[in-house]
Amino acid sequence: MTYTEVLQQTKKQQIVPAYLLYGTESYFIQNIVKSITKAVIPDDDNENLSVYDLDETPVQEVVTDAETFPFFGEKKLIIAHNPSFLKAKPDKLPFEHDLDRLSQYLEQPVDFSVVVFVAPYEKIDTRKKISKAFKKNGAIAECMPVKDYEIGKWIEDLIKSMNITIDKKAFDILETELSSDLQLLQNEITKLALFAGDGGHVTADVAESLISQSTNNSSLRLVDAVIESNLHKAISIYKSLEKMNEEPIGMIALLAFQFRTILRVKLLKQKGYSQFQMQKQLAVHPYVIKIAMNRERQFSVRRLEEIMDRLTEADASIKRGQMEKELAFELLLYELIQPA
C-alpha cells in the first residue's frame, strides 16, 4: 500500500494489528506512527506504549510484550525499530531473532495490541517468508521520498486538503525553495493556511513574507532579485541574512554556488544534456537543477562569467581587508543588479 492509503485508513480509525513501515522518508514514517498512536492510545497513555530497537532486542521479546494484556486501557501500542531481518543481507547481531515466532503471531495476532515495525531501509526482501507474512496479515506502507516529478502534485494535494488556494508564483516559491524538506514544506503550508483562513487565498507577497527564512531559500531569492534588477529587494534579503548571523563571505559563497550552478546547467544544456543527465553530472538534488534551468535563460554565458568574476573579486577584497565587508557586499549587490 502507499503511504497515503495507509495514512488515510489510520485517520479513519481503521487500525490493523500489525504494520510494516519501510523506506527512507522519515517524514512519512513519523506521520503514520503519529496517526496510529492517536488512534490506539489517544490520551498519550505512555503506560501502554512500548518502543524497541531490534538491533538490541530479539523480536520474540516484542511478541511476548504484544501478547501481554495492557495494564490500563483497552489497547497497547508497540513500536519496533530496525527489523534488519527484512533486508536481503540482515545485520550481524549477537543474538538470533525468532522469526517463526513472529510469523505465528502475525497469523493470529491478539486484538488488544497494535505492533508497528519501522524499517528505515531503501529496500526489503519481499521474497522472504516473514515479508510475505506481513503482506498477508498486516499492512505494509512504502515510505520513500517523493520523486521530483511528483512533488508538484503532492503540494497541490496538501494545499487542497487545507482548503485554501494559492497564486502560481506563491506555489513556485514553495516548490523551488522547500521541496527537499517535506516536513518543513508541510509546516509552511500549514502556516499559510492559518493566515489565509478556511477557503482563503495566498498571494506571492504573503508567501514571501510568511515562509521561514533559511540560508538556502534566501540565496535563491537574492538570485531572483538580481534577475529582477530589484536592489531594494536584494538589500532587504541581505539584511535578513545578517539577522541570521550570516557573514558576507558566507553570502558570497551562497551566491557563487547558485550562479555557478546556473552557468554549468546552461553550458550542459547547450551540449544537449537532459535534466536527469545534468543531475548525474553535477551530483546535486534534482530541484537544484530544475531551479537553475528556470533561471539560466535570463542570462548569457558571458554575463554569468562576469558575475562569477565579480563574486571572486569581492571575496578576495574582503579577505585581504581592502574594504569593510558589509560595504563590500552591498556594493557587490549594486554591481550585480546593474544592466550588463
Side-chain angles (χ1 to χ4, degrees), residues 281-301:
Q281 178 76 15
L282 303 183
V284 294
H285 192 278
Y287 269 88
V288 173
I289 301 297
K290 182 175 181 179
I291 293 166
M293 289 186 72
N294 289 335
R295 287 163 169 73
E296 61 84 17
R297 65 194 68 160
Q298 307 291 332
F299 301 93
S300 65
V301 170

Side-chain angles (χ1 to χ4, degrees), residues 160-171:
K160 186 177 179 180
S161 72
M162 296 186 185
N163 195 31
I164 59 173
T165 56
I166 188 167
D167 282 354
K168 183 183 185 304
K169 188 173 180 182
F171 185 96

Side-chain angles (χ1 to χ4, degrees), residues 33-50:
V33 170
K34 287 178 183 177
S35 185
I36 294 172
T37 302
K38 186 176 180 180
V40 179
I41 46 174
D43 299 321
D44 294 327
D45 181 9
N46 291 330
E47 293 292 333
N48 286 313
L49 172 64
S50 300

Side-chain angles (χ1 to χ4, degrees), residues 196-320:
D198 189 47
H201 182 73
V202 177
T203 65
D205 288 341
V206 168
E208 284 195 345
S209 64
L210 290 183
I211 290 175
S212 298
Q213 298 294 306
S214 70
T215 53
N216 180 60
N217 62 30
S218 292
S219 65
L220 288 170
R221 292 182 189 183
L222 271 176
V223 174
D224 283 337
V226 172
I227 292 172
E228 298 164 10
S229 296
N230 190 333
L231 183 60
H232 175 76
K233 180 178 178 180
I235 295 297
S236 176
I237 295 168
Y238 159 53
K239 294 300 181 184
S240 295
L241 282 165
E242 260 194 332
K243 291 177 182 177
M244 296 163 62
N245 296 319
E246 282 293 325
E247 287 287 327
I249 287 289
M251 297 184 215
I252 290 173
L254 290 170
L255 282 175
F257 171 78
Q258 297 294 342
F259 280 108
R260 186 182 303 110
T261 303
I262 293 170
L263 175 58
R264 295 174 74 185
V265 164
K266 190 171 189 71
L267 293 173
L268 290 174
K269 183 180 177 182
Q270 290 177 349
K271 293 180 180 179
Y273 279 61
S274 67
Q275 185 172 333
F276 178 76
Q277 290 171 323
M278 291 179 191
Q279 181 197 341
K280 291 294 184 182
Q281 178 76 15
L282 303 183
V284 294
H285 192 278
Y287 269 88
V288 173
I289 301 297
K290 182 175 181 179
I291 293 166
M293 289 186 72
N294 289 335
R295 287 163 169 73
E296 61 84 17
R297 65 194 68 160
Q298 307 291 332
F299 301 93
S300 65
V301 170
R302 179 181 176 184
R303 178 57 180 155
L304 288 168
E305 289 174 342
E306 288 173 351
I307 289 173
M308 291 305 302
D309 287 343
R310 185 63 193 92
L311 289 167
T312 301
E313 291 167 5
D315 181 78
S317 175
I318 293 174
K319 288 178 178 177
R320 292 170 184 162

Side-chain angles (χ1 to χ4, degrees), residues 44-278:
D44 294 327
D45 181 9
N46 291 330
E47 293 292 333
N48 286 313
L49 172 64
S50 300
V51 180
Y52 293 93
D53 183 344
L54 294 175
D55 283 341
E56 300 176 357
T57 304
V59 74
Q60 52 269 32
E61 291 188 23
V62 175
V63 173
T64 298
D65 189 355
E67 293 173 335
T68 304
F69 281 100
F71 291 109
F72 305 99
E74 298 180 1
K75 287 197 172 187
K76 63 194 301 186
L77 174 63
I78 299 165
I79 302 173
H81 294 272
N82 304 317
S84 65
F85 49 78
L86 293 169
K87 296 195 292 186
K89 293 183 178 181
D91 298 339
K92 291 183 179 181
L93 301 172
F95 55 82
E96 293 289 332
H97 286 299
D98 189 344
L99 300 185
D100 288 336
R101 179 85 190 281
L102 176 58
S103 294
Q104 291 168 6
Y105 178 81
L106 292 174
E107 288 287 344
Q108 293 183 309
V110 298
D111 61 2
F112 51 78
S113 291
V114 175
V115 186
V116 180
F117 287 82
V118 178
Y121 317 127
E122 187 172 350
K123 292 181 180 179
I124 59 172
D125 191 341
T126 56
R127 299 168 298 177
K128 290 187 173 183
K129 178 182 177 181
I130 189 62
S131 299
K132 293 177 180 178
F134 270 109
K135 184 175 182 180
K136 180 181 178 183
N137 304 297
I140 300 179
E142 181 180 343
C143 301
M144 298 302 291
V146 178
K147 295 180 175 61
D148 60 298
Y149 61 84
E150 297 173 331
I151 192 71
K153 179 63 166 57
W154 194 84
I155 296 173
E156 286 177 4
D157 290 343
L158 192 55
I159 290 170
K160 186 177 179 180
S161 72
M162 296 186 185
N163 195 31
I164 59 173
T165 56
I166 188 167
D167 282 354
K168 183 183 185 304
K169 188 173 180 182
F171 185 96
D172 291 342
I173 291 170
L174 291 169
E175 186 177 24
T176 56
E177 295 185 8
L178 304 174
S179 294
S180 61
D181 189 332
L182 297 183
Q183 180 68 67
L184 179 59
L185 181 57
Q186 175 163 341
N187 290 344
E188 296 302 321
I189 293 176
T190 301
K191 185 195 299 182
L192 295 176
L194 289 172
F195 177 85
D198 189 47
H201 182 73
V202 177
T203 65
D205 288 341
V206 168
E208 284 195 345
S209 64
L210 290 183
I211 290 175
S212 298
Q213 298 294 306
S214 70
T215 53
N216 180 60
N217 62 30
S218 292
S219 65
L220 288 170
R221 292 182 189 183
L222 271 176
V223 174
D224 283 337
V226 172
I227 292 172
E228 298 164 10
S229 296
N230 190 333
L231 183 60
H232 175 76
K233 180 178 178 180
I235 295 297
S236 176
I237 295 168
Y238 159 53
K239 294 300 181 184
S240 295
L241 282 165
E242 260 194 332
K243 291 177 182 177
M244 296 163 62
N245 296 319
E246 282 293 325
E247 287 287 327
I249 287 289
M251 297 184 215
I252 290 173
L254 290 170
L255 282 175
F257 171 78
Q258 297 294 342
F259 280 108
R260 186 182 303 110
T261 303
I262 293 170
L263 175 58
R264 295 174 74 185
V265 164
K266 190 171 189 71
L267 293 173
L268 290 174
K269 183 180 177 182
Q270 290 177 349
K271 293 180 180 179
Y273 279 61
S274 67
Q275 185 172 333
F276 178 76
Q277 290 171 323
M278 291 179 191

